[in-house]
Amino acid sequence: MAKIIRRRLDELNAAESLAIMRTLPQARCHELTADRKGQLSVDLKHPHRLIIEPADDPVPRKPDGGLDWNKVTCIRVIEVEDTHG
């Protein structure tokens, strides 16, 4: 598990913006909903996920209020969790 966590952290660190993570199919980075709104999930080893959130202040938003992935340049790691359990 440590190797995959390190890989994802390295990918996040190398990305110019969070939008890059959408281009990595193995990361399957996506926004969460409900009580986790504002957080994102990055695949690790099933069923574990790296939970992150934008740390830009203010959080970049598109005109419709959605997250502007292209402008998120700083993230905060929340936890590693099984979000399905």
Side-chain angles (χ1 to χ4, degrees), residues 8 11-12 17-32 39-44 49-53 67 69 72 75:
R8 291 294 178 260
E11 291 165 351
L12 285 160
S17 75
L18 191 58
I20 297 299
M21 296 304 290
R22 282 185 156 171
T23 67
L24 304 176
Q26 70 275 17
R28 211 173 67 83
C29 187
H30 60 280
E31 293 180 60
L32 299 173
Q39 297 178 347
L40 299 100
S41 173
V42 181
D43 277 5
L44 296 172
R49 308 288 188 263
L50 181 67
I51 308 301
I52 61 174
E53 67 183 3
L67 182 63
W69 288 56
V72 175
I75 59 104

Side-chain angles (χ1 to χ4, degrees), residues 10 15 21 24 28-29 35 37-39 41 44-45 48-49 52 62 65 68 70 74 81:
D10 288 346
M21 296 304 290
L24 304 176
R28 211 173 67 83
C29 187
D35 62 333
K37 187 170 176 68
Q39 297 178 347
S41 173
L44 296 172
K45 183 174 180 179
H48 294 93
R49 308 288 188 263
I52 61 174
K62 296 185 286 186
D68 191 339
N70 290 306
C74 185
E81 183 179 345

